[in-house]
Amino acid sequence: MTCILQLGPLTERFNRGLAAEHEVLALWEPGADALLDSHAQRIEIVVTSARFGCNAALIERLPNLRAIVSFGVGYDAIDVAAARARGIPVSNTPDVLNDCVADLAFGLVIDCARKMSRADRFVRAGEWPSGGLPLGTRVSGKRLGIVGLGRIGEAVAKRSNGFDMQVRYHNRRPVEGSPYGYEASLIEMARWSDFLVLACPGGDATRHLVSREVLDALGPKGILVNVSRGSVVDEPALVEALLEGRLGGAGLDVYAHEPKVPQALLDLPNVVLLPHIGSATEETRLAMEELLFANLRAFLECGELLTTV
Ligand code: NAP
């Protein structure tokens, strides 16, 4: 039996399935950390997720580690460079989550513009009989800027077709053959956009890509939607821009220090806050589990992961 180190719990179904086929050391269980040293020589695979990651210190502790298999597409929490330096391949679960993350991003665009969550709070609070809500913003026909026209960004752009929107995108390089307009300057694209949707990876290369200047370019009527990573946005600058009315609103699924959400955001009416649920549907989570298992089996049977990062 292969000895696997699982860094954090996924669904009950997944945890049971993994433990049925392999010897699993579940790192979150009491006493597991102490067992890690005695098992370190035998651990061949680390199973983790975008949330639990895998740092260089842990990789170093496992002399016979052969692969890191992760649940989720983002791998900014995994030290891929440290793994590569030891020749350890890393897999993720791309593509199967594109639709659900893009649906959620588009939901945030509509919710922020049409004040749906705010209207729901208004009705529940019994305020309807005594007044009205401020008017919302039209979504159809507007300008959508996408930061990161990759797998998820493409799916967001596709959804915008049904809303007759104009689409531009900002990547480091233009996408060959894309029907959407490329913007080399993020600030220029933010100035042009009514809605700015972030769908790029997290990590050092994109840290605070959305700066105070970008937020100011998006402006007092602009809406920021973030389904990428909290690190991509300068969060204190975002809070300031919202408090000072320099930004119209924001729909956030991700934050700088999850699960902490700045109090100022909780207090603002023009912000929609979700607890990192981009891929959190029954169908997509099952597909992600299946892809993780497929990677694991392929590696154990043929020595190759299917979807390496
Ligand atoms: P992907 O296919 O690799 O696309 C990433 C896009 O970002 C590419 O178009 C890339 O283009 C662009 N990009 C990368 N670095 C950039 C930079 N420094 N500046 C501007 N653009 C940059 O990835 P994906 O599968 O669509 O996933 C994107 C991200 O979504 C993940 O990494 C993850 O962080 C996030 N995500 C969030 C959730 C959630 O629950 N909210 C769920 C799944 C994924 P270039 O290489 O040309 O720059």
Side-chain angles (χ1 to χ4, degrees):
M1 254 190 178
T2 311
C3 187
I4 290 180
L5 176 65
Q6 188 182 353
L7 301 190
L10 297 173
T11 61
E12 269 302 307
R13 172 185 57 209
F14 177 88
N15 299 342
R16 269 201 310 273
L18 189 69
E21 288 180 34
H22 307 282
E23 179 188 351
V24 177
L25 179 61
L27 197 57
W28 66 96
E29 283 180 353
D33 197 52
L35 278 178
L36 187 54
D37 280 327
S38 56
H39 280 63
Q41 294 284 340
R42 295 182 49 239
I43 290 165
E44 292 180 58
I45 313 266
V46 161
V47 168
T48 188
S49 71
R51 176 176 162 209
F52 301 118
C54 186
N55 61 29
L58 182 61
I59 294 170
E60 206 175 305
R61 259 175 104 179
L62 307 172
N64 295 312
L65 184 64
R66 295 166 58 212
I68 298 172
V69 181
S70 183
F71 179 87
V73 70
Y75 50 87
D76 44 305
I78 300 174
D79 197 326
V80 177
R84 280 198 186 128
R86 290 248 319 264
I88 298 166
V90 179
S91 69
N92 61 350
T93 59
D95 286 316
V96 293
L97 41 62
N98 296 350
D99 284 338
C100 279
V101 181
D103 289 348
L104 195 89
F106 227 86
L108 282 170
V109 167
I110 299 173
D111 192 336
C112 291
R114 299 301 309 274
K115 307 189 193 304
M116 289 164 72
S117 291
R118 184 171 173 179
D120 177 82
R121 291 193 293 273
F122 171 84
V123 172
R124 286 173 197 273
E127 290 173 24
W128 192 6
S130 52
L133 273 174
L135 294 176
T137 300
R138 183 182 162 105
V139 174
S140 294
K142 290 291 184 67
R143 295 170 165 189
L144 174 69
I146 299 174
V147 181
L149 192 78
R151 291 170 291 231
I152 294 169
E154 280 281 358
V156 172
K158 191 171 157 191
R159 278 148 183 76
S160 74
N161 291 335
F163 291 83
D164 301 319
M165 295 172 102
Q166 297 173 59
V167 178
R168 291 189 188 173
Y169 71 97
H170 170 76
N171 282 5
R172 288 167 299 181
R173 286 170 294 275
V175 176
E176 214 174 298
S178 175
Y180 309 113
Y182 176 66
E183 282 280 0
S185 158
L186 176 53
I187 291 199
E188 285 309 315
M189 186 171 81
R191 198 164 285 130
W192 172 86
S193 301
D194 296 302
F195 305 108
L196 189 68
V197 173
L198 312 182
C200 61
D204 289 341
T206 55
R207 190 168 306 282
H208 293 190
L209 191 65
V210 176
S211 58
R212 180 190 166 102
E213 292 71 30
V214 171
L215 295 169
D216 281 342
L218 188 54
K221 293 198 167 160
I223 288 170
L224 177 78
V225 165
N226 190 4
V227 294
S228 63
R229 283 289 182 266
S231 59
V232 177
V233 177
D234 180 342
E235 198 170 76
L238 171 66
V239 169
E240 256 180 54
L242 287 162
L243 285 172
E244 292 167 10
R246 289 185 283 110
L247 181 68
L252 308 173
D253 187 41
V254 289
Y255 307 86
H257 306 289
E258 294 175 15
K260 284 192 196 143
V261 178
Q263 186 62 41
L265 291 180
L266 298 174
D267 295 338
L268 280 164
N270 53 340
V271 180
V272 178
L273 303 168
L274 303 181
H276 201 149
I277 54 168
S279 67
T281 64
E282 292 283 351
E283 297 87 342
T284 288
R285 288 289 167 88
L286 179 60
M288 291 163 68
E289 286 175 22
E290 286 171 351
L291 185 51
L292 189 156
F293 274 122
N295 268 293
L296 193 53
R297 282 192 199 111
F299 187 78
L300 293 174
E301 284 163 20
C302 316
E304 298 246 346
L305 293 167
L306 301 175
T307 49
T308 43
V309 306

